[in-house]
Amino acid sequence: QVQLVESGGGLAQPGGSLRLSCKASGFSLEHYDIGWFRQAPGKEREGVSCISKRTEDPNYGDSVKGRFAISRDNAKNTAYLQMDNLKPEDTAVYYCATTTNPVCGTSNHYSFKTFAYDHWGQGTQVTVSS
C-alpha cells in the first residue's frame, strides 16, 4: 500500500524552528520527486519546496527562501523540511507529495502545481504563535 505520513508539526513561537518528516511506505522515494505544500484556512494549497530525484536540486517558494530547507534520506525512505525563523504566516497544514515525473526545478513550471503530484500525505498542522 502506497502511503506518505507526515509528522513533526506542532506549535512554535515566531523565530522558532520545526522539522517536518515525510515517511514513505509501499514504494521507494529515491525514484520520486518530492514536494512540500501547505494550506492555510481559506487559502489555496501552495507549494513550499521540492527536491528532484535526479539532481537533488531543491526549489523553494519565494515566501520561504532562506528560511526552509528540504532534504531527503533515501536509505530511510524519508524526506524532511527544516523550517527556521518561523513566522505567523507560516501557520498551515503541511503536506508532502510525490511524483515519478521530473517536475522539480528552478525553471520548471510544474514544481508547485498540485496536479503534477500523484501521492499525498494526510498533512501535519504547523501553528506559529506567541
Side-chain angles (χ1 to χ4, degrees), residues 62-74:
D62 290 340
S63 61
V64 305
K65 281 181 181 176
R67 300 189 298 121
F68 289 12
I70 190 172
S71 62
R72 62 195 298 160
D73 186 335
N74 292 332

Side-chain angles (χ1 to χ4, degrees), residues 37-46 48 91-95 125:
F37 292 76
R38 67 185 181 187
Q39 189 165 19
K43 294 187 176 182
E44 292 188 356
R45 193 167 296 189
E46 66 165 338
V48 174
T91 296
V93 177
Y94 283 71
Y95 301 87
Q125 176 70 46

Side-chain angles (χ1 to χ4, degrees), residues 13-63:
Q13 291 189 340
S17 299
L18 286 173
R19 187 194 194 204
L20 305 184
S21 298
C22 173
K23 174 71 174 177
S25 60
F27 67 103
S28 179
L29 268 183
E30 65 179 316
H31 303 302
Y32 290 76
D33 282 12
I34 302 166
W36 282 97
F37 292 76
R38 67 185 181 187
Q39 189 165 19
K43 294 187 176 182
E44 292 188 356
R45 193 167 296 189
E46 66 165 338
V48 174
S49 182
C50 67
I51 186 167
S52 165
K53 66 177 180 291
R54 186 173 58 88
T55 67
E56 298 201 356
D57 285 342
N59 193 13
Y60 298 98
D62 290 340
S63 61

